[in-house]
Amino acid sequence: MGEKGEKRIVAKFGTNLLTAGTERLDLEVMATLVGQVARLHQLGLEVIIVSSGAIAAGRQKLGLSSERRDIPSRQVMAAVGQSALMHSYEQLFGWHGITVAQTLLTKGDLSDRLGYLNARNTLLALLELGVVPIVNENDAVAVDEIEGVAFGDNDNLSGMVANLVDADLLVLLGDVAGLYTTDPLKDKSARLIPRVDRIDAGIERLAGGTRGRGHGGMATKVQAAKLATASGAAVVIADGREHDIILRLVGGESIGTLFPAATSKMESRKRFLLAGLATRGRLVVDDGAVVALKEQNRSLLPAGIRAVAGDFQRGDVVDIVSERGRGGGESEKGEKIACGISNYSSWELALIKGARSDRIEALLGYGYGDEVVHRNNLVVL
Ligand code: GLU
């Protein structure tokens, strides 16, 4: 565990860092970064990597000039380069005895409730297995038709991933030391801002005006920081070429620009589950389930469900209410004790409620896991 208690870390590596400013992946740089992640892994921390570099690797393989920047060409290069990128990670992590997983996401997937749930479940399951997920945008299918979201912006993607997995810390590593008072490439008197407590319009303006090289400039980094800090993660923008940068940051050293978390993770999750997302249904649960959820931090299993109300899909938010009120009287029936994302739809639950989890597959012919609402997706009120 890091000195500040960080347990789950998202580390984003930008193209300029991975290529050391050249046209190809720099294996030495990658080995250094992988070595640090492996060290954290050995210490019991969970790390998710968001890695760029697919387009650069593909460009090199196809021998295409750096002039080719149109979206279709970049999609082709990314498709070719992604496997080369993963091949390098697989080898480098293999030396440390660590298994990696390729996770290609689009921002559209994550804006959709079901996509969000599936991606979250997969990433959390990978972490539980001790695997290091390596996320990149699924460039071959990603399009920039989603309003306000640009193609090929792994900064924002990493902010979404930090939110998705309830990360404690997001480190955005590129070849710029952090956020400066003015553009350091143009202005010699530019000063590094070590800490930003609130991302206000002034900071956003500053970031917009100090766009770094590559497309992951400061503007997108600050957007990512805004999302991640609002999700309860601390964020650091730093130069990935600094010696042992990730280890030192996790150790509490102040390097680069720190954006402290703007809220607690619990508060953020609560807000996410409660805000704007009308709950679609209600699960009435028995006393055993009430104790399991409220006192033992457990997941809700089908066995504890007595009744299902409403018409909802897998991925929708549902209220969980107790069968009996505190006093046990009829009039207090239906005290709301929690809410969370359901892994099963209302009609599936009608078939499996009351059943043991090992019966789910027999009853439905398929299953989405033992839990109806996993404790990771649950807020007890
Ligand atoms: N997905 C792109 C790649 O792998 C990078 C996008 C970005 O750097 O923001 O090359």
Side-chain angles (χ1 to χ4, degrees):
M1 172 119 18
E3 266 176 27
K4 291 187 186 156
E6 287 102 0
K7 172 96 179 62
R8 188 170 291 162
I9 296 160
V10 176
K12 186 254 168 178
F13 305 151
T15 300
N16 287 343
L17 172 63
L18 295 174
T19 59
T22 67
E23 295 285 315
R24 55 176 59 207
L25 292 177
D26 186 314
L27 283 179
E28 226 169 285
V29 172
M30 288 181 75
T32 311
L33 296 167
V34 166
Q36 295 178 58
V37 172
R39 182 84 192 99
L40 294 176
H41 194 264
Q42 282 152 5
L43 292 171
L45 279 78
E46 297 171 332
V47 187
I48 293 173
I49 293 175
V50 176
S51 179
S52 304
I55 295 174
R59 191 187 297 281
Q60 175 199 346
K61 259 206 143 118
L62 294 168
L64 296 176
S65 89
S66 50
E67 316 279 87
R68 294 280 282 274
R69 302 205 58 81
D70 59 290
I71 289 181
S73 302
R74 282 164 59 199
Q75 289 184 302
V76 165
M77 292 187 277
V80 171
Q82 179 63 27
S83 60
L85 182 68
M86 281 311 296
H87 180 70
S88 303
Y89 277 120
E90 187 131 38
Q91 276 195 323
L92 294 169
F93 274 106
W95 290 339
H96 299 276
I98 295 173
T99 304
V100 296
Q102 166 176 277
T103 318
L104 297 179
L105 300 173
T106 64
K107 297 181 201 94
D109 291 337
L110 301 186
S111 327
D112 164 75
R113 285 211 69 82
L114 198 51
Y116 182 95
L117 177 68
N118 288 334
R120 176 174 162 84
N121 287 351
T122 305
L123 285 172
L124 295 184
L126 287 168
L127 291 177
E128 224 158 89
L129 290 169
V131 172
V132 173
I134 301 180
V135 176
N136 196 356
E137 184 153 16
N138 192 354
D139 288 327
V141 301
V143 278
D144 62 352
E145 65 195 12
I146 313 159
E147 209 182 319
V149 179
F151 172 84
D153 166 15
N154 273 2
D155 288 330
N156 271 297
L157 183 68
S158 66
M160 292 172 110
V161 170
N163 166 281
L164 186 70
V165 301
D166 304 321
D168 300 295
L169 176 68
L170 165 65
V171 289
L172 296 164
L173 298 181
D175 63 353
V176 185
L179 182 64
Y180 281 85
T181 48
T182 53
D183 189 342
L185 296 176
K186 293 189 193 136
D187 182 356
K188 287 255 174 304
S189 67
R191 273 179 305 109
L192 180 77
I193 304 173
R195 183 181 171 112
V196 175
D197 283 298
R198 223 171 67 82
I199 302 172
D200 54 20
I203 291 291
E204 281 171 320
R205 222 173 307 120
L206 204 62
T210 56
R211 208 175 150 75
R213 281 184 291 148
H215 35 262
M218 277 299 143
T220 49
K221 287 193 174 53
V222 168
Q223 283 162 10
K226 198 168 182 180
L227 172 61
T229 53
S231 317
V235 178
V236 179
I237 301 176
D239 187 337
R241 298 167 301 181
E242 285 265 358
H243 178 65
D244 275 350
I245 180 72
I246 313 175
L247 298 174
R248 288 160 65 201
L249 286 173
V250 171
E253 240 183 88
S254 46
I255 315 168
T257 303
L258 167 71
F259 303 76
T263 178
S264 76
K265 288 196 292 177
M266 193 54 191
E267 262 319 302
S268 142
R269 183 130 295 269
K270 215 178 257 182
R271 229 183 309 127
F272 174 78
L273 285 177
L274 302 177
L277 298 156
T279 55
R280 298 289 177 82
R282 211 153 44 92
L283 306 177
V284 182
V285 301
D286 65 16
D287 294 350
V290 173
V291 173
L293 299 185
K294 284 184 90 156
E295 285 157 35
Q296 299 165 342
N297 184 30
R298 303 242 292 269
S299 301
L300 176 65
L301 304 178
I305 299 177
R306 298 298 268 258
V308 181
D311 188 10
F312 55 90
Q313 315 261 349
R314 164 173 156 78
D316 280 338
V317 177
V318 293
D319 285 334
I320 299 170
V321 298
S322 63
E323 190 179 17
R324 284 187 292 176
R326 238 183 308 253
E330 269 300 295
S331 58
E332 290 168 306
K333 201 168 168 169
E335 186 195 358
K336 184 166 157 182
I337 58 157
C339 68
I341 304 174
S342 179
N343 278 328
Y344 291 90
S345 67
S346 49
W347 55 94
E348 287 163 339
L349 286 173
L351 295 172
I352 63 172
K353 70 174 180 343
R356 282 186 13 197
S357 293
D358 58 10
R359 297 268 306 135
I360 294 177
E361 294 227 12
L363 290 167
L364 295 179
Y366 54 87
Y368 297 117
D370 288 353
E371 305 83 9
V372 173
V373 180
H374 194 281
R375 65 187 148 77
N376 288 332
N377 300 327
L378 185 82
V379 171
V380 176
L381 302 168

Short mmCIF file of all heavy atoms in Angstrom, two decimals, residues 174-213:
data_model
loop_
_atom_site.label_atom_id
_atom_site.label_comp_id
_atom_site.label_asym_id
_atom_site.label_seq_id
_atom_site.Cartn_x
_atom_site.Cartn_y
_atom_site.Cartn_z
N GLY A 174 3.66 11.66 -19.27
CA GLY A 174 4.02 12.03 -20.63
C GLY A 174 5.43 12.56 -20.63
O GLY A 174 6.25 12.13 -19.81
N ASP A 175 5.70 13.51 -21.52
CA ASP A 175 7.05 14.07 -21.54
C ASP A 175 7.05 15.53 -21.09
O ASP A 175 7.96 16.28 -21.40
CB ASP A 175 7.68 13.91 -22.94
CG ASP A 175 6.91 14.67 -24.01
OD1 ASP A 175 5.82 15.21 -23.70
OD2 ASP A 175 7.39 14.73 -25.16
N VAL A 176 5.99 15.91 -20.38
CA VAL A 176 5.93 17.25 -19.80
C VAL A 176 5.87 17.09 -18.28
O VAL A 176 5.23 16.16 -17.78
CB VAL A 176 4.67 18.01 -20.29
CG1 VAL A 176 4.68 19.44 -19.79
CG2 VAL A 176 4.61 17.99 -21.82
N ALA A 177 6.58 17.97 -17.56
CA ALA A 177 6.74 17.78 -16.12
C ALA A 177 5.47 18.06 -15.31
O ALA A 177 5.39 17.71 -14.14
CB ALA A 177 7.88 18.66 -15.63
N GLY A 178 4.47 18.67 -15.93
CA GLY A 178 3.24 18.98 -15.19
C GLY A 178 2.57 20.19 -15.80
O GLY A 178 2.84 20.55 -16.95
N LEU A 179 1.69 20.81 -15.02
CA LEU A 179 0.98 22.00 -15.50
C LEU A 179 1.81 23.24 -15.14
O LEU A 179 2.25 23.39 -14.01
CB LEU A 179 -0.40 22.06 -14.83
CG LEU A 179 -1.31 23.21 -15.24
CD1 LEU A 179 -1.68 23.13 -16.72
CD2 LEU A 179 -2.57 23.21 -14.37
N TYR A 180 2.00 24.09 -16.13
CA TYR A 180 2.82 25.30 -15.94
C TYR A 180 1.95 26.56 -15.95
O TYR A 180 0.82 26.55 -16.47
CB TYR A 180 3.85 25.41 -17.06
CG TYR A 180 5.05 24.51 -16.88
CD1 TYR A 180 5.01 23.19 -17.31
CD2 TYR A 180 6.21 24.98 -16.30
CE1 TYR A 180 6.10 22.35 -17.15
CE2 TYR A 180 7.32 24.17 -16.14
CZ TYR A 180 7.26 22.84 -16.57
OH TYR A 180 8.35 22.04 -16.41
N THR A 181 2.52 27.63 -15.43
CA THR A 181 1.81 28.92 -15.40
C THR A 181 1.60 29.46 -16.81
O THR A 181 0.61 30.14 -17.08
CB THR A 181 2.60 29.95 -14.58
OG1 THR A 181 3.97 29.91 -15.02
CG2 THR A 181 2.53 29.65 -13.09
N THR A 182 2.55 29.19 -17.70
CA THR A 182 2.40 29.52 -19.12
C THR A 182 3.04 28.37 -19.90
O THR A 182 3.59 27.46 -19.30
CB THR A 182 3.11 30.85 -19.50
OG1 THR A 182 4.46 30.75 -19.06
CG2 THR A 182 2.44 32.06 -18.88
N ASP A 183 2.99 28.45 -21.21
CA ASP A 183 3.53 27.35 -22.02
C ASP A 183 5.06 27.30 -21.90
O ASP A 183 5.75 28.20 -22.36
CB ASP A 183 3.11 27.56 -23.48
CG ASP A 183 3.46 26.35 -24.33
OD1 ASP A 183 4.31 25.54 -23.90
OD2 ASP A 183 2.88 26.22 -25.43
N PRO A 184 5.59 26.24 -21.29
CA PRO A 184 7.05 26.18 -21.07
C PRO A 184 7.84 26.08 -22.38
O PRO A 184 9.04 26.39 -22.40
CB PRO A 184 7.23 24.92 -20.24
CG PRO A 184 6.01 24.10 -20.47
CD PRO A 184 4.90 25.06 -20.77
N LEU A 185 7.17 25.66 -23.45
CA LEU A 185 7.89 25.56 -24.73
C LEU A 185 8.10 26.94 -25.35
O LEU A 185 9.01 27.15 -26.14
CB LEU A 185 7.11 24.67 -25.71
CG LEU A 185 6.95 23.21 -25.32
CD1 LEU A 185 6.08 22.46 -26.32
CD2 LEU A 185 8.30 22.51 -25.17
N LYS A 186 7.22 27.88 -24.95
CA LYS A 186 7.32 29.22 -25.54
C LYS A 186 7.86 30.26 -24.57
O LYS A 186 8.36 31.30 -24.99
CB LYS A 186 5.92 29.68 -25.98
CG LYS A 186 5.35 28.86 -27.13
CD LYS A 186 4.07 29.52 -27.63
CE LYS A 186 3.31 28.57 -28.54
NZ LYS A 186 1.88 28.58 -28.24
N ASP A 187 7.73 29.97 -23.28
CA ASP A 187 8.02 31.01 -22.30
C ASP A 187 9.01 30.49 -21.26
O ASP A 187 8.71 29.57 -20.49
CB ASP A 187 6.69 31.41 -21.63
CG ASP A 187 6.87 32.52 -20.63
OD1 ASP A 187 8.02 32.94 -20.39
OD2 ASP A 187 5.85 32.95 -20.06
N LYS A 188 10.17 31.08 -21.25
CA LYS A 188 11.24 30.63 -20.34
C LYS A 188 10.89 30.85 -18.87
O LYS A 188 11.40 30.18 -17.99
CB LYS A 188 12.54 31.40 -20.65
CG LYS A 188 13.22 30.99 -21.94
CD LYS A 188 14.45 30.14 -21.64
CE LYS A 188 15.11 29.57 -22.87
NZ LYS A 188 14.22 28.76 -23.70
N SER A 189 10.00 31.83 -18.61
CA SER A 189 9.68 32.13 -17.21
C SER A 189 8.53 31.27 -16.67
O SER A 189 8.07 31.48 -15.55
CB SER A 189 9.33 33.62 -17.07
OG SER A 189 8.10 33.86 -17.75
N ALA A 190 8.08 30.32 -17.49
CA ALA A 190 6.97 29.46 -17.06
C ALA A 190 7.37 28.70 -15.79
O ALA A 190 8.48 28.19 -15.69
CB ALA A 190 6.63 28.47 -18.17
N ARG A 191 6.44 28.65 -14.83
CA ARG A 191 6.72 27.93 -13.59
C ARG A 191 5.78 26.74 -13.44
O ARG A 191 4.60 26.83 -13.78
CB ARG A 191 6.55 28.87 -12.38
CG ARG A 191 7.81 29.66 -12.04
CD ARG A 191 7.58 30.59 -10.86
NE ARG A 191 6.45 31.49 -11.08
CZ ARG A 191 5.28 31.40 -10.42
NH1 ARG A 191 5.10 30.46 -9.52
NH2 ARG A 191 4.30 32.24 -10.69
N LEU A 192 6.29 25.66 -12.91
CA LEU A 192 5.47 24.47 -12.68
C LEU A 192 4.54 24.74 -11.49
O LEU A 192 4.95 25.28 -10.48
CB LEU A 192 6.38 23.27 -12.35
CG LEU A 192 5.66 21.96 -12.09
CD1 LEU A 192 5.20 21.33 -13.41
CD2 LEU A 192 6.56 20.98 -11.35
N ILE A 193 3.27 24.33 -11.64
CA ILE A 193 2.32 24.47 -10.53
C ILE A 193 2.29 23.13 -9.79
O ILE A 193 1.87 22.12 -10.35
CB ILE A 193 0.91 24.81 -11.07
CG1 ILE A 193 0.98 26.07 -11.93
CG2 ILE A 193 -0.09 24.96 -9.93
CD1 ILE A 193 -0.32 26.42 -12.65
N PRO A 194 2.79 23.09 -8.56
CA PRO A 194 2.92 21.79 -7.89
C PRO A 194 1.60 21.19 -7.43
O PRO A 194 1.49 19.97 -7.28
CB PRO A 194 3.82 22.08 -6.68
CG PRO A 194 3.79 23.55 -6.50
CD PRO A 194 3.37 24.20 -7.77
N ARG A 195 0.60 22.05 -7.19
CA ARG A 195 -0.64 21.52 -6.62
C ARG A 195 -1.83 22.36 -7.07
O ARG A 195 -1.77 23.59 -7.05
CB ARG A 195 -0.53 21.57 -5.10
CG ARG A 195 -1.71 20.99 -4.39
CD ARG A 195 -1.51 21.11 -2.87
NE ARG A 195 -2.74 20.75 -2.20
CZ ARG A 195 -2.89 19.66 -1.44
NH1 ARG A 195 -1.88 18.85 -1.26
NH2 ARG A 195 -4.04 19.39 -0.87
N VAL A 196 -2.88 21.69 -7.50
CA VAL A 196 -4.11 22.39 -7.88
C VAL A 196 -5.25 21.81 -7.05
O VAL A 196 -5.62 20.64 -7.21
CB VAL A 196 -4.42 22.19 -9.39
CG1 VAL A 196 -5.77 22.81 -9.75
CG2 VAL A 196 -3.31 22.78 -10.25
N ASP A 197 -5.75 22.60 -6.11
CA ASP A 197 -6.80 22.08 -5.23
C ASP A 197 -8.17 22.10 -5.87
O ASP A 197 -9.02 21.30 -5.53
CB ASP A 197 -6.81 22.86 -3.91
CG ASP A 197 -5.68 22.40 -3.01
OD1 ASP A 197 -5.68 21.22 -2.63
OD2 ASP A 197 -4.76 23.20 -2.74
N ARG A 198 -8.36 23.06 -6.80
CA ARG A 198 -9.67 23.12 -7.44
C ARG A 198 -9.48 23.42 -8.92
O ARG A 198 -8.75 24.36 -9.27
CB ARG A 198 -10.51 24.23 -6.80
CG ARG A 198 -11.95 23.80 -6.55
CD ARG A 198 -12.65 24.87 -5.72
NE ARG A 198 -12.82 26.11 -6.49
CZ ARG A 198 -13.80 26.33 -7.35
NH1 ARG A 198 -14.71 25.40 -7.56
NH2 ARG A 198 -13.88 27.47 -7.99
N ILE A 199 -10.09 22.62 -9.75
CA ILE A 199 -9.96 22.85 -11.19
C ILE A 199 -11.07 23.83 -11.59
O ILE A 199 -12.21 23.44 -11.80
CB ILE A 199 -10.05 21.53 -11.97
CG1 ILE A 199 -8.95 20.58 -11.49
CG2 ILE A 199 -9.93 21.78 -13.47
CD1 ILE A 199 -9.02 19.18 -12.04
N ASP A 200 -10.71 25.11 -11.63
CA ASP A 200 -11.70 26.11 -11.98
C ASP A 200 -11.45 26.61 -13.40
O ASP A 200 -10.56 26.11 -14.10
CB ASP A 200 -11.68 27.27 -10.96
CG ASP A 200 -10.29 27.85 -10.81
OD1 ASP A 200 -9.45 27.64 -11.72
OD2 ASP A 200 -10.02 28.52 -9.79
N ALA A 201 -12.24 27.61 -13.79
CA ALA A 201 -12.13 28.10 -15.17
C ALA A 201 -10.72 28.61 -15.47
O ALA A 201 -10.20 28.43 -16.57
CB ALA A 201 -13.15 29.20 -15.40
N GLY A 202 -10.08 29.21 -14.46
CA GLY A 202 -8.72 29.75 -14.64
C GLY A 202 -7.74 28.63 -14.99
O GLY A 202 -6.92 28.77 -15.90
N ILE A 203 -7.83 27.54 -14.27
CA ILE A 203 -6.93 26.40 -14.50
C ILE A 203 -7.22 25.81 -15.88
O ILE A 203 -6.30 25.47 -16.64
CB ILE A 203 -7.12 25.33 -13.40
CG1 ILE A 203 -6.60 25.85 -12.06
CG2 ILE A 203 -6.44 24.01 -13.78
CD1 ILE A 203 -5.11 26.02 -11.96
N GLU A 204 -8.50 25.73 -16.22
CA GLU A 204 -8.84 25.16 -17.53
C GLU A 204 -8.32 26.04 -18.66
O GLU A 204 -7.84 25.54 -19.67
CB GLU A 204 -10.36 24.97 -17.64
CG GLU A 204 -10.79 23.72 -16.90
CD GLU A 204 -12.29 23.57 -16.77
OE1 GLU A 204 -12.99 24.59 -16.53
OE2 GLU A 204 -12.77 22.45 -16.93
N ARG A 205 -8.40 27.34 -18.45
CA ARG A 205 -7.89 28.27 -19.47
C ARG A 205 -6.38 28.09 -19.63
O ARG A 205 -5.85 28.02 -20.73
CB ARG A 205 -8.21 29.71 -19.06
CG ARG A 205 -8.69 30.56 -20.24
CD ARG A 205 -9.17 31.93 -19.81
NE ARG A 205 -10.17 31.91 -18.76
CZ ARG A 205 -10.03 32.49 -17.55
NH1 ARG A 205 -8.90 33.12 -17.25
NH2 ARG A 205 -10.99 32.44 -16.66
N LEU A 206 -5.73 27.98 -18.49
CA LEU A 206 -4.28 27.79 -18.47
C LEU A 206 -3.90 26.53 -19.25
O LEU A 206 -2.98 26.52 -20.06
CB LEU A 206 -3.88 27.61 -17.01
CG LEU A 206 -2.47 27.94 -16.59
CD1 LEU A 206 -2.21 29.41 -16.85
CD2 LEU A 206 -2.33 27.65 -15.10
N ALA A 207 -4.63 25.46 -18.98
CA ALA A 207 -4.33 24.18 -19.62
C ALA A 207 -4.60 24.26 -21.11
O ALA A 207 -3.84 23.72 -21.92
CB ALA A 207 -5.18 23.07 -19.00
N GLY A 208 -5.66 24.97 -21.47
CA GLY A 208 -6.01 25.11 -22.89
C GLY A 208 -4.93 25.86 -23.63
O GLY A 208 -4.65 25.57 -24.80
N GLY A 209 -4.28 26.79 -22.93
CA GLY A 209 -3.27 27.63 -23.58
C GLY A 209 -1.90 26.99 -23.59
O GLY A 209 -1.00 27.47 -24.25
N THR A 210 -1.73 25.89 -22.85
CA THR A 210 -0.39 25.29 -22.80
C THR A 210 -0.44 23.88 -23.34
O THR A 210 -0.10 22.92 -22.68
CB THR A 210 0.14 25.24 -21.35
OG1 THR A 210 -0.82 24.53 -20.56
CG2 THR A 210 0.37 26.61 -20.78
N ARG A 211 -0.93 23.77 -24.54
CA ARG A 211 -1.04 22.46 -25.15
C ARG A 211 0.35 21.90 -25.44
O ARG A 211 1.15 22.53 -26.09
CB ARG A 211 -1.81 22.63 -26.45
CG ARG A 211 -2.57 21.40 -26.83
CD ARG A 211 -3.39 21.69 -28.06
NE ARG A 211 -3.54 20.47 -28.81
CZ ARG A 211 -4.35 19.49 -28.44
NH1 ARG A 211 -5.08 19.61 -27.37
NH2 ARG A 211 -4.44 18.40 -29.16
N GLY A 212 0.57 20.73 -24.93
CA GLY A 212 1.90 20.13 -25.12
C GLY A 212 2.04 19.54 -26.50
O GLY A 212 1.13 19.66 -27.33
N ARG A 213 3.14 18.88 -26.75
CA ARG A 213 3.30 18.20 -28.04
C ARG A 213 2.40 16.98 -28.08
O ARG A 213 1.98 16.47 -27.04
CB ARG A 213 4.76 17.77 -28.20
CG ARG A 213 5.64 18.93 -28.62
CD ARG A 213 7.03 18.43 -28.86
NE ARG A 213 7.67 18.03 -27.62
CZ ARG A 213 8.57 17.06 -27.54
NH1 ARG A 213 8.91 16.41 -28.61
NH2 ARG A 213 9.12 16.77 -26.41
#
